[in-house]
Amino acid sequence: MRKIIKCENVKKIYKDFSLNAISLSIKSGYLTGLIGVNGAGKTTLINIIAGLDADFEGNIFIDGIDVKNNTVKAKQEIGLVSEELSFFLDKTAYENGLLLGCYYNNWSMENYYIWLDKMNIPKGQPLYQFSKGMKMKFQVSFAMAHKPKFLLLDEPTAGFDPVFRRDFLNILQDIINEDIGILMSTHITSDLDKIADYIIVIENGNIKINDTKEALEDDFKSQKIESSLNKKFTISDLL
């Protein structure tokens, strides 16, 4: 049975920006791409879903767990990869696993080692020596070690070289095949062309598009006026 993240009329108001009545569902076993320009609200939405920001209106349920009223339990079901996350930068990947893994019910050091090896992350090197890309790969390893039902990725491939970006997308496909749901925000829309099942476009805090990639591709083809262009649909066409 599919697990679901359900957002109902989620609102967040800042002085110069607001997230406006966001309603959507994210299913396990699929990758949902979240795209929009900088400042559109992608990171704000991901942080709210992940339980990092409880100051919002509306409701969010992760596999039936109310994020606002049962944040600790909801976080057990979520793996988050973000530049804003805090680990012990003066500690090694191994030490971070020992110190922080105990906060997750399903934590496994064995799985952690497997993922660190898969991502080519050294276990004995302090995190402050890691490049941006290495920090993202470390976070994926940490997240997968506690067996989440959903993985939230905020611009995960921004620090990767093109070769590893391709390999990383293959890794994400393996994760999807384990019936884990992925919500991935990115400005590198070519990544989503290869792997996304659903696409959400957010603009000025509003959902502009929320549909399957297949339906969006069919709609794009039906709206082409100059057939001689014969242009292949890409996610960037939605922006």
Side-chain angles (χ1 to χ4, degrees), residues 220-232:
F220 174 81
K221 290 177 179 177
S222 68
Q223 291 184 27
K224 282 198 307 182
I225 297 175
E226 297 183 43
S227 58
S228 60
L229 293 177
N230 198 29
K231 185 179 183 301
K232 183 179 179 181

Side-chain angles (χ1 to χ4, degrees), residues 8-230:
E8 300 175 338
N9 296 314
V10 174
K11 300 179 183 178
K12 173 74 178 182
I13 300 175
Y14 295 96
K15 182 178 179 180
D16 55 356
F17 172 79
S18 61
L19 208 59
N20 302 311
I22 300 296
S23 294
L24 55 86
S25 295
I26 299 162
K27 300 177 183 179
S28 64
Y30 296 97
L31 189 145
T32 299
L34 179 63
I35 61 175
V37 300
N38 288 338
K42 302 188 299 296
T43 296
T44 298
L45 179 59
I46 286 177
N47 286 344
I48 290 174
I49 294 173
L52 297 183
D53 185 352
D55 184 21
F56 67 93
E57 298 178 34
N59 300 291
I60 297 178
F61 300 95
I62 298 176
D63 195 22
I65 303 169
D66 190 324
V67 170
K68 186 178 287 185
N69 296 324
N70 205 340
T71 305
V72 174
K73 185 176 181 181
K75 283 184 175 181
Q76 297 289 331
E77 311 300 332
I78 291 289
L80 176 61
V81 177
S82 167
E83 286 187 10
E84 299 179 10
L85 281 189
S86 297
F87 288 88
F88 295 108
L89 297 182
D90 61 331
K91 304 294 185 182
T92 65
Y94 168 75
E95 290 169 330
N96 271 276
L98 288 179
L99 293 168
L100 300 175
C102 60
Y103 291 100
Y104 294 93
N105 297 335
N106 294 324
W107 177 263
S108 167
M109 285 300 288
E110 181 180 357
N111 284 345
Y112 187 45
Y113 290 157
I114 290 172
W115 276 95
L116 289 175
D117 289 340
K118 186 180 292 190
M119 295 290 188
N120 294 315
I121 296 298
K123 302 178 183 69
Q125 185 176 343
L127 267 57
Y128 74 84
Q129 295 181 356
F130 286 7
S131 65
K132 180 180 178 181
M134 289 175 67
K135 287 177 181 175
M136 284 292 186
K137 289 185 283 183
F138 158 75
Q139 289 185 57
V140 172
S141 302
F142 185 92
M144 292 304 298
H146 67 84
K147 302 176 182 177
K149 291 186 175 72
F150 293 93
L151 193 60
L152 310 181
L153 307 174
D154 192 4
E155 297 283 354
T157 62
F160 295 165
D161 62 73
V163 174
F164 185 80
R165 183 177 294 126
R166 182 187 64 243
D167 294 339
F168 183 73
L169 295 180
N170 290 333
I171 290 170
L172 292 186
Q173 186 61 62
D174 291 341
I175 292 172
I176 294 168
N177 292 341
E178 293 181 22
D179 199 33
I180 294 171
I182 298 177
L183 175 63
M184 175 176 165
S185 79
T186 181
H187 67 278
I188 306 174
T189 55
S190 59
D191 290 346
L192 298 178
D193 287 326
K194 300 178 178 70
I195 196 171
D197 300 293
Y198 294 86
I199 298 295
I200 296 172
V201 178
I202 189 168
E203 184 177 281
N204 296 321
N206 298 284
I207 297 290
K208 180 182 176 183
I209 294 172
N210 183 3
D211 211 335
T212 66
K213 188 177 71 172
E214 182 179 5
L216 293 170
E217 183 173 8
D218 289 343
D219 187 55
F220 174 81
K221 290 177 179 177
S222 68
Q223 291 184 27
K224 282 198 307 182
I225 297 175
E226 297 183 43
S227 58
S228 60
L229 293 177
N230 198 29

